[in-house]
Amino acid sequence: MRNNRPISSFLIFLLFLSSFLIPHSLSASGKKDTSDQATLNDEWILCITAFDYSMLSPARRITGEVVTRNLVSRLNTVSYRFRIDPEYAYYEGYAWQQSLTAAAKALAQKQEERSRMLYRGDPDWRYRTNLKKINADIEKLQEEYLKKEAEKPLIHQEPTFRLMQANVSGTYPAPPKPGAERRFCLTQKVDAFLTGEVREFHGRYFVLLRLYTLYTNSYVYEDDIIFSMEDTDGAVDEIAARLTAVLAGNRPAGIAISASPPNTQILINQNYAGRGTVETRDHPPGTVTVAFAAEGFMPETVETELFPGELAEIDVFLVPMHFADVQIGVPGKTGAAVYQGALYVGQAPLTLRLPVEQLNYVVAETGRNEMGKAVFASPDIPDGMFDVSLKTKRYPPPGEKRVNKARSRYYWAWGSTWVAAIAAWVTNGIYASQYGALQYERYDDAFLQNTLRMYYISTGAVIVVGGVVVYKFIQLGRYLNTASEHVTPIVKQEKQRK
């Protein structure tokens, strides 16, 4: 025994040293591995519900379905979502509460099991053994509960965004009834759902979208757009861009517009936004084009860059237009109908009051199926008087396809030129070789006659080439003339002397 005392003392020293070092090493390793701790809620799942098409006619519901499919296709490109502080706090508290609930439930079950031991009638030695074991388990569960209560779980700050698998497969569940939105999210196991409706609006389509999120227990986003059938792709792109910015967690930009005069029509990215003033509205970050137009004023377009979380204020004052008088005349054709573009404006001669320094297109038609047309720049001097004379002529009917026929004839002439040139080159080569043979070798009358015949053939081929070339240039001239006979001439104005 005496010999074992040094060993025992050494073991006690090691235990004391390890009890001092191990907590510090665990603490250090805990700090080091904090960044490697597993995160919760690594995915943010969106459910797109079936849109309401009840206010569309059966023939127009196809367009509504196209809008839904295109919108799903756009949203399927979103890859992540950035959680803002309120959302992070919700999921952190939700996960923390779930963790505490599970730990408390396990502890309560153990305590209840200990209570039932009193009524099982076990022998004293077995009761004491089981009681000691279950008390150790309860103590361990209490420590685990206190640990979870002191440490909140780590939530993923940028979870992966994805659509519900049913949406990817082309299935859209019915939207929940009012008051059942939260239960719907929990049942579908999603973080949010998007609902919408498509209805007809004076011959156009009106789309309304609403986004409900679980962490707010409310609808956090609402957007709408009006578009025609031809603008379906552009409208879907625009509304999807705004929605994508919200789903990705990026802060939207703001834009406020003021224009003078008050009746100025305002278009934002080719979509009508209002007249005169557009109150502050959210808009996805990026380049935006705003167009302004008012009757009697010069139109203007402004392009600006929108940044997340910033408000862009645009103030525009349109410049009034200045006008000049232009006298439209048709020499020798009094009473010809005059059109400015596609708008009938009267009979020649007449005076048009046009904005200065702008291109104008005018057409005059007579009762003899004659037409005169011209493009001209309106004068750069306001309140002046200028003359534009239109020369009329009879244009062939467009159904004759004159341009196609002239082009076809020119191509045939061009191809014939190459065929004739190759034939002339071959025959001339044969004649040249035979003629050279006559100079150095003896020949008979048959060879001489054959050489003479090739001479005539070669000469005829050259003449044919010349004729075909002339014919080709004639057809080229016809083709150019026919193709340009409907071209509108650009004329200059003649200033009247007062």
PDB file of all heavy atoms in Angstrom, residues 231-264:
ATOM      1  N   ASP A 231     -49.660  42.427 -74.969  1.00  0.00           N
ATOM      2  CA  ASP A 231     -48.618  42.810 -74.009  1.00  0.00           C
ATOM      3  C   ASP A 231     -48.486  41.807 -72.878  1.00  0.00           C
ATOM      4  O   ASP A 231     -47.944  42.133 -71.811  1.00  0.00           O
ATOM      5  CB  ASP A 231     -48.927  44.197 -73.423  1.00  0.00           C
ATOM      6  CG  ASP A 231     -48.960  45.271 -74.490  1.00  0.00           C
ATOM      7  OD1 ASP A 231     -48.249  45.103 -75.490  1.00  0.00           O
ATOM      8  OD2 ASP A 231     -49.698  46.254 -74.322  1.00  0.00           O
ATOM      9  N   THR A 232     -48.976  40.576 -73.070  1.00  0.00           N
ATOM     10  CA  THR A 232     -48.984  39.601 -71.981  1.00  0.00           C
ATOM     11  C   THR A 232     -47.582  39.340 -71.449  1.00  0.00           C
ATOM     12  O   THR A 232     -47.343  39.375 -70.235  1.00  0.00           O
ATOM     13  CB  THR A 232     -49.621  38.278 -72.449  1.00  0.00           C
ATOM     14  OG1 THR A 232     -50.962  38.540 -72.871  1.00  0.00           O
ATOM     15  CG2 THR A 232     -49.645  37.260 -71.319  1.00  0.00           C
ATOM     16  N   ASP A 233     -46.624  39.093 -72.351  1.00  0.00           N
ATOM     17  CA  ASP A 233     -45.266  38.766 -71.910  1.00  0.00           C
ATOM     18  C   ASP A 233     -44.640  39.919 -71.142  1.00  0.00           C
ATOM     19  O   ASP A 233     -44.019  39.723 -70.093  1.00  0.00           O
ATOM     20  CB  ASP A 233     -44.394  38.399 -73.109  1.00  0.00           C
ATOM     21  CG  ASP A 233     -44.807  37.068 -73.728  1.00  0.00           C
ATOM     22  OD1 ASP A 233     -45.459  36.279 -73.021  1.00  0.00           O
ATOM     23  OD2 ASP A 233     -44.502  36.838 -74.909  1.00  0.00           O
ATOM     24  N   GLY A 234     -44.793  41.140 -71.659  1.00  0.00           N
ATOM     25  CA  GLY A 234     -44.216  42.291 -70.972  1.00  0.00           C
ATOM     26  C   GLY A 234     -44.849  42.519 -69.615  1.00  0.00           C
ATOM     27  O   GLY A 234     -44.152  42.860 -68.640  1.00  0.00           O
ATOM     28  N   ALA A 235     -46.171  42.332 -69.518  1.00  0.00           N
ATOM     29  CA  ALA A 235     -46.852  42.526 -68.239  1.00  0.00           C
ATOM     30  C   ALA A 235     -46.417  41.486 -67.216  1.00  0.00           C
ATOM     31  O   ALA A 235     -46.176  41.804 -66.046  1.00  0.00           O
ATOM     32  CB  ALA A 235     -48.370  42.473 -68.455  1.00  0.00           C
ATOM     33  N   VAL A 236     -46.309  40.228 -67.658  1.00  0.00           N
ATOM     34  CA  VAL A 236     -45.870  39.169 -66.739  1.00  0.00           C
ATOM     35  C   VAL A 236     -44.447  39.433 -66.275  1.00  0.00           C
ATOM     36  O   VAL A 236     -44.120  39.253 -65.094  1.00  0.00           O
ATOM     37  CB  VAL A 236     -45.996  37.796 -67.414  1.00  0.00           C
ATOM     38  CG1 VAL A 236     -45.359  36.705 -66.555  1.00  0.00           C
ATOM     39  CG2 VAL A 236     -47.458  37.456 -67.652  1.00  0.00           C
ATOM     40  N   ASP A 237     -43.582  39.879 -67.187  1.00  0.00           N
ATOM     41  CA  ASP A 237     -42.198  40.184 -66.804  1.00  0.00           C
ATOM     42  C   ASP A 237     -42.148  41.286 -65.750  1.00  0.00           C
ATOM     43  O   ASP A 237     -41.385  41.203 -64.776  1.00  0.00           O
ATOM     44  CB  ASP A 237     -41.390  40.606 -68.032  1.00  0.00           C
ATOM     45  CG  ASP A 237     -41.072  39.434 -68.942  1.00  0.00           C
ATOM     46  OD1 ASP A 237     -41.136  38.294 -68.454  1.00  0.00           O
ATOM     47  OD2 ASP A 237     -40.792  39.662 -70.129  1.00  0.00           O
ATOM     48  N   GLU A 238     -42.975  42.306 -65.929  1.00  0.00           N
ATOM     49  CA  GLU A 238     -42.926  43.434 -64.998  1.00  0.00           C
ATOM     50  C   GLU A 238     -43.447  43.047 -63.617  1.00  0.00           C
ATOM     51  O   GLU A 238     -42.818  43.332 -62.595  1.00  0.00           O
ATOM     52  CB  GLU A 238     -43.744  44.607 -65.546  1.00  0.00           C
ATOM     53  CG  GLU A 238     -43.730  45.807 -64.619  1.00  0.00           C
ATOM     54  CD  GLU A 238     -44.443  47.007 -65.210  1.00  0.00           C
ATOM     55  OE1 GLU A 238     -44.777  46.962 -66.405  1.00  0.00           O
ATOM     56  OE2 GLU A 238     -44.654  47.979 -64.472  1.00  0.00           O
ATOM     57  N   ILE A 239     -44.601  42.396 -63.578  1.00  0.00           N
ATOM     58  CA  ILE A 239     -45.174  42.056 -62.284  1.00  0.00           C
ATOM     59  C   ILE A 239     -44.356  40.967 -61.601  1.00  0.00           C
ATOM     60  O   ILE A 239     -44.243  40.936 -60.378  1.00  0.00           O
ATOM     61  CB  ILE A 239     -46.656  41.646 -62.438  1.00  0.00           C
ATOM     62  CG1 ILE A 239     -47.397  41.792 -61.103  1.00  0.00           C
ATOM     63  CG2 ILE A 239     -46.791  40.238 -62.973  1.00  0.00           C
ATOM     64  CD1 ILE A 239     -48.897  41.664 -61.230  1.00  0.00           C
ATOM     65  N   ALA A 240     -43.739  40.083 -62.397  1.00  0.00           N
ATOM     66  CA  ALA A 240     -42.874  39.051 -61.819  1.00  0.00           C
ATOM     67  C   ALA A 240     -41.598  39.664 -61.263  1.00  0.00           C
ATOM     68  O   ALA A 240     -41.083  39.204 -60.238  1.00  0.00           O
ATOM     69  CB  ALA A 240     -42.531  37.993 -62.863  1.00  0.00           C
ATOM     70  N   ALA A 241     -41.086  40.707 -61.903  1.00  0.00           N
ATOM     71  CA  ALA A 241     -39.878  41.367 -61.401  1.00  0.00           C
ATOM     72  C   ALA A 241     -40.138  42.003 -60.043  1.00  0.00           C
ATOM     73  O   ALA A 241     -39.321  41.905 -59.123  1.00  0.00           O
ATOM     74  CB  ALA A 241     -39.404  42.418 -62.406  1.00  0.00           C
ATOM     75  N   ARG A 242     -41.298  42.651 -59.915  1.00  0.00           N
ATOM     76  CA  ARG A 242     -41.628  43.265 -58.625  1.00  0.00           C
ATOM     77  C   ARG A 242     -41.834  42.209 -57.552  1.00  0.00           C
ATOM     78  O   ARG A 242     -41.376  42.360 -56.412  1.00  0.00           O
ATOM     79  CB  ARG A 242     -42.875  44.137 -58.774  1.00  0.00           C
ATOM     80  CG  ARG A 242     -42.704  45.306 -59.720  1.00  0.00           C
ATOM     81  CD  ARG A 242     -43.760  46.361 -59.486  1.00  0.00           C
ATOM     82  NE  ARG A 242     -45.087  45.926 -59.877  1.00  0.00           N
ATOM     83  CZ  ARG A 242     -45.679  46.239 -61.026  1.00  0.00           C
ATOM     84  NH1 ARG A 242     -45.020  46.954 -61.924  1.00  0.00           N
ATOM     85  NH2 ARG A 242     -46.900  45.833 -61.295  1.00  0.00           N
ATOM     86  N   LEU A 243     -42.514  41.136 -57.910  1.00  0.00           N
ATOM     87  CA  LEU A 243     -42.764  40.072 -56.942  1.00  0.00           C
ATOM     88  C   LEU A 243     -41.482  39.350 -56.573  1.00  0.00           C
ATOM     89  O   LEU A 243     -41.274  38.981 -55.408  1.00  0.00           O
ATOM     90  CB  LEU A 243     -43.787  39.091 -57.510  1.00  0.00           C
ATOM     91  CG  LEU A 243     -44.220  37.938 -56.604  1.00  0.00           C
ATOM     92  CD1 LEU A 243     -44.820  38.457 -55.309  1.00  0.00           C
ATOM     93  CD2 LEU A 243     -45.214  37.046 -57.325  1.00  0.00           C
ATOM     94  N   THR A 244     -40.599  39.161 -57.541  1.00  0.00           N
ATOM     95  CA  THR A 244     -39.329  38.496 -57.276  1.00  0.00           C
ATOM     96  C   THR A 244     -38.498  39.274 -56.260  1.00  0.00           C
ATOM     97  O   THR A 244     -37.863  38.689 -55.377  1.00  0.00           O
ATOM     98  CB  THR A 244     -38.539  38.328 -58.582  1.00  0.00           C
ATOM     99  OG1 THR A 244     -39.286  37.501 -59.469  1.00  0.00           O
ATOM    100  CG2 THR A 244     -37.182  37.708 -58.324  1.00  0.00           C
ATOM    101  N   ALA A 245     -38.515  40.600 -56.376  1.00  0.00           N
ATOM    102  CA  ALA A 245     -37.776  41.431 -55.420  1.00  0.00           C
ATOM    103  C   ALA A 245     -38.311  41.237 -54.002  1.00  0.00           C
ATOM    104  O   ALA A 245     -37.552  41.222 -53.033  1.00  0.00           O
ATOM    105  CB  ALA A 245     -37.866  42.899 -55.825  1.00  0.00           C
ATOM    106  N   VAL A 246     -39.626  41.072 -53.879  1.00  0.00           N
ATOM    107  CA  VAL A 246     -40.226  40.859 -52.559  1.00  0.00           C
ATOM    108  C   VAL A 246     -39.883  39.471 -52.038  1.00  0.00           C
ATOM    109  O   VAL A 246     -39.511  39.296 -50.869  1.00  0.00           O
ATOM    110  CB  VAL A 246     -41.754  41.060 -52.625  1.00  0.00           C
ATOM    111  CG1 VAL A 246     -42.397  40.710 -51.296  1.00  0.00           C
ATOM    112  CG2 VAL A 246     -42.084  42.490 -53.012  1.00  0.00           C
ATOM    113  N   LEU A 247     -39.991  38.457 -52.899  1.00  0.00           N
ATOM    114  CA  LEU A 247     -39.733  37.088 -52.466  1.00  0.00           C
ATOM    115  C   LEU A 247     -38.272  36.879 -52.110  1.00  0.00           C
ATOM    116  O   LEU A 247     -37.958  36.103 -51.206  1.00  0.00           O
ATOM    117  CB  LEU A 247     -40.152  36.116 -53.566  1.00  0.00           C
ATOM    118  CG  LEU A 247     -41.657  36.040 -53.847  1.00  0.00           C
ATOM    119  CD1 LEU A 247     -41.923  35.125 -55.040  1.00  0.00           C
ATOM    120  CD2 LEU A 247     -42.412  35.543 -52.635  1.00  0.00           C
ATOM    121  N   ALA A 248     -37.378  37.545 -52.825  1.00  0.00           N
ATOM    122  CA  ALA A 248     -35.954  37.407 -52.533  1.00  0.00           C
ATOM    123  C   ALA A 248     -35.550  38.145 -51.264  1.00  0.00           C
ATOM    124  O   ALA A 248     -34.434  37.989 -50.791  1.00  0.00           O
ATOM    125  CB  ALA A 248     -35.116  37.904 -53.711  1.00  0.00           C
ATOM    126  N   GLY A 249     -36.459  38.965 -50.728  1.00  0.00           N
ATOM    127  CA  GLY A 249     -36.161  39.686 -49.506  1.00  0.00           C
ATOM    128  C   GLY A 249     -35.457  41.001 -49.717  1.00  0.00           C
ATOM    129  O   GLY A 249     -35.087  41.676 -48.765  1.00  0.00           O
ATOM    130  N   ASN A 250     -35.240  41.385 -50.984  1.00  0.00           N
ATOM    131  CA  ASN A 250     -34.598  42.669 -51.253  1.00  0.00           C
ATOM    132  C   ASN A 250     -35.561  43.798 -50.977  1.00  0.00           C
ATOM    133  O   ASN A 250     -36.758  43.709 -51.252  1.00  0.00           O
ATOM    134  CB  ASN A 250     -34.136  42.743 -52.706  1.00  0.00           C
ATOM    135  CG  ASN A 250     -33.108  41.680 -53.022  1.00  0.00           C
ATOM    136  OD1 ASN A 250     -32.356  41.282 -52.151  1.00  0.00           O
ATOM    137  ND2 ASN A 250     -33.088  41.216 -54.255  1.00  0.00           N
ATOM    138  N   ARG A 251     -35.057  44.872 -50.486  1.00  0.00           N
ATOM    139  CA  ARG A 251     -35.903  46.031 -50.250  1.00  0.00           C
ATOM    140  C   ARG A 251     -36.246  46.693 -51.580  1.00  0.00           C
ATOM    141  O   ARG A 251     -35.368  46.944 -52.395  1.00  0.00           O
ATOM    142  CB  ARG A 251     -35.193  47.039 -49.343  1.00  0.00           C
ATOM    143  CG  ARG A 251     -35.000  46.575 -47.920  1.00  0.00           C
ATOM    144  CD  ARG A 251     -34.293  47.624 -47.104  1.00  0.00           C
ATOM    145  NE  ARG A 251     -32.980  47.909 -47.656  1.00  0.00           N
ATOM    146  CZ  ARG A 251     -32.213  48.925 -47.282  1.00  0.00           C
ATOM    147  NH1 ARG A 251     -32.640  49.779 -46.377  1.00  0.00           N
ATOM    148  NH2 ARG A 251     -31.035  49.103 -47.825  1.00  0.00           N
ATOM    149  N   PRO A 252     -37.522  46.965 -51.829  1.00  0.00           N
ATOM    150  CA  PRO A 252     -37.884  47.603 -53.095  1.00  0.00           C
ATOM    151  C   PRO A 252     -37.454  49.064 -53.106  1.00  0.00           C
ATOM    152  O   PRO A 252     -37.220  49.673 -52.057  1.00  0.00           O
ATOM    153  CB  PRO A 252     -39.409  47.466 -53.128  1.00  0.00           C
ATOM    154  CG  PRO A 252     -39.801  47.426 -51.684  1.00  0.00           C
ATOM    155  CD  PRO A 252     -38.695  46.700 -50.977  1.00  0.00           C
ATOM    156  N   ALA A 253     -37.347  49.592 -54.287  1.00  0.00           N
ATOM    157  CA  ALA A 253     -37.092  51.022 -54.435  1.00  0.00           C
ATOM    158  C   ALA A 253     -38.423  51.756 -54.478  1.00  0.00           C
ATOM    159  O   ALA A 253     -39.489  51.151 -54.622  1.00  0.00           O
ATOM    160  CB  ALA A 253     -36.289  51.283 -55.700  1.00  0.00           C
ATOM    161  N   GLY A 254     -38.372  53.056 -54.306  1.00  0.00           N
ATOM    162  CA  GLY A 254     -39.570  53.885 -54.378  1.00  0.00           C
ATOM    163  C   GLY A 254     -39.434  54.909 -55.483  1.00  0.00           C
ATOM    164  O   GLY A 254     -38.323  55.361 -55.798  1.00  0.00           O
ATOM    165  N   ILE A 255     -40.552  55.276 -56.089  1.00  0.00           N
ATOM    166  CA  ILE A 255     -40.539  56.278 -57.145  1.00  0.00           C
ATOM    167  C   ILE A 255     -41.757  57.169 -56.989  1.00  0.00           C
ATOM    168  O   ILE A 255     -42.865  56.691 -56.721  1.00  0.00           O
ATOM    169  CB  ILE A 255     -40.507  55.615 -58.541  1.00  0.00           C
ATOM    170  CG1 ILE A 255     -40.372  56.673 -59.634  1.00  0.00           C
ATOM    171  CG2 ILE A 255     -41.703  54.721 -58.771  1.00  0.00           C
ATOM    172  CD1 ILE A 255     -40.114  56.099 -61.010  1.00  0.00           C
ATOM    173  N   ALA A 256     -41.534  58.457 -57.089  1.00  0.00           N
ATOM    174  CA  ALA A 256     -42.607  59.448 -57.026  1.00  0.00           C
ATOM    175  C   ALA A 256     -42.414  60.401 -58.191  1.00  0.00           C
ATOM    176  O   ALA A 256     -41.294  60.858 -58.456  1.00  0.00           O
ATOM    177  CB  ALA A 256     -42.580  60.201 -55.700  1.00  0.00           C
ATOM    178  N   ILE A 257     -43.502  60.722 -58.898  1.00  0.00           N
ATOM    179  CA  ILE A 257     -43.409  61.492 -60.139  1.00  0.00           C
ATOM    180  C   ILE A 257     -44.360  62.674 -60.076  1.00  0.00           C
ATOM    181  O   ILE A 257     -45.509  62.542 -59.628  1.00  0.00           O
ATOM    182  CB  ILE A 257     -43.746  60.604 -61.358  1.00  0.00           C
ATOM    183  CG1 ILE A 257     -42.810  59.399 -61.404  1.00  0.00           C
ATOM    184  CG2 ILE A 257     -43.649  61.393 -62.648  1.00  0.00           C
ATOM    185  CD1 ILE A 257     -43.186  58.376 -62.446  1.00  0.00           C
ATOM    186  N   SER A 258     -43.871  63.801 -60.536  1.00  0.00           N
ATOM    187  CA  SER A 258     -44.692  65.004 -60.653  1.00  0.00           C
ATOM    188  C   SER A 258     -44.419  65.627 -62.014  1.00  0.00           C
ATOM    189  O   SER A 258     -43.257  65.782 -62.420  1.00  0.00           O
ATOM    190  CB  SER A 258     -44.360  66.008 -59.542  1.00  0.00           C
ATOM    191  OG  SER A 258     -45.105  67.195 -59.708  1.00  0.00           O
ATOM    192  N   ALA A 259     -45.496  65.934 -62.751  1.00  0.00           N
ATOM    193  CA  ALA A 259     -45.343  66.474 -64.100  1.00  0.00           C
ATOM    194  C   ALA A 259     -46.249  67.682 -64.277  1.00  0.00           C
ATOM    195  O   ALA A 259     -47.327  67.771 -63.683  1.00  0.00           O
ATOM    196  CB  ALA A 259     -45.668  65.411 -65.148  1.00  0.00           C
ATOM    197  N   SER A 260     -45.803  68.587 -65.087  1.00  0.00           N
ATOM    198  CA  SER A 260     -46.578  69.774 -65.432  1.00  0.00           C
ATOM    199  C   SER A 260     -46.626  69.870 -66.953  1.00  0.00           C
ATOM    200  O   SER A 260     -45.601  69.679 -67.612  1.00  0.00           O
ATOM    201  CB  SER A 260     -45.930  71.040 -64.845  1.00  0.00           C
ATOM    202  OG  SER A 260     -46.681  72.183 -65.171  1.00  0.00           O
ATOM    203  N   PRO A 261     -47.822  70.095 -67.529  1.00  0.00           N
ATOM    204  CA  PRO A 261     -49.108  70.454 -66.929  1.00  0.00           C
ATOM    205  C   PRO A 261     -49.786  69.285 -66.222  1.00  0.00           C
ATOM    206  O   PRO A 261     -49.381  68.130 -66.406  1.00  0.00           O
ATOM    207  CB  PRO A 261     -49.928  70.897 -68.147  1.00  0.00           C
ATOM    208  CG  PRO A 261     -49.342  70.118 -69.277  1.00  0.00           C
ATOM    209  CD  PRO A 261     -47.876  70.046 -69.003  1.00  0.00           C
ATOM    210  N   PRO A 262     -50.838  69.574 -65.432  1.00  0.00           N
ATOM    211  CA  PRO A 262     -51.469  68.529 -64.616  1.00  0.00           C
ATOM    212  C   PRO A 262     -52.080  67.387 -65.411  1.00  0.00           C
ATOM    213  O   PRO A 262     -52.262  66.296 -64.861  1.00  0.00           O
ATOM    214  CB  PRO A 262     -52.555  69.308 -63.841  1.00  0.00           C
ATOM    215  CG  PRO A 262     -52.091  70.726 -63.850  1.00  0.00           C
ATOM    216  CD  PRO A 262     -51.388  70.914 -65.146  1.00  0.00           C
ATOM    217  N   ASN A 263     -52.431  67.612 -66.669  1.00  0.00           N
ATOM    218  CA  ASN A 263     -53.053  66.542 -67.456  1.00  0.00           C
ATOM    219  C   ASN A 263     -52.033  65.680 -68.203  1.00  0.00           C
ATOM    220  O   ASN A 263     -52.389  64.928 -69.111  1.00  0.00           O
ATOM    221  CB  ASN A 263     -54.046  67.131 -68.463  1.00  0.00           C
ATOM    222  CG  ASN A 263     -53.359  68.014 -69.494  1.00  0.00           C
ATOM    223  OD1 ASN A 263     -52.268  68.532 -69.248  1.00  0.00           O
ATOM    224  ND2 ASN A 263     -53.992  68.200 -70.634  1.00  0.00           N
ATOM    225  N   THR A 264     -50.765  65.789 -67.839  1.00  0.00           N
ATOM    226  CA  THR A 264     -49.716  65.010 -68.500  1.00  0.00           C
ATOM    227  C   THR A 264     -49.927  63.517 -68.260  1.00  0.00           C
ATOM    228  O   THR A 264     -50.101  63.076 -67.122  1.00  0.00           O
ATOM    229  CB  THR A 264     -48.329  65.417 -67.977  1.00  0.00           C
ATOM    230  OG1 THR A 264     -48.122  66.803 -68.243  1.00  0.00           O
ATOM    231  CG2 THR A 264     -47.229  64.621 -68.647  1.00  0.00           C
TER     232      THR A 264
END
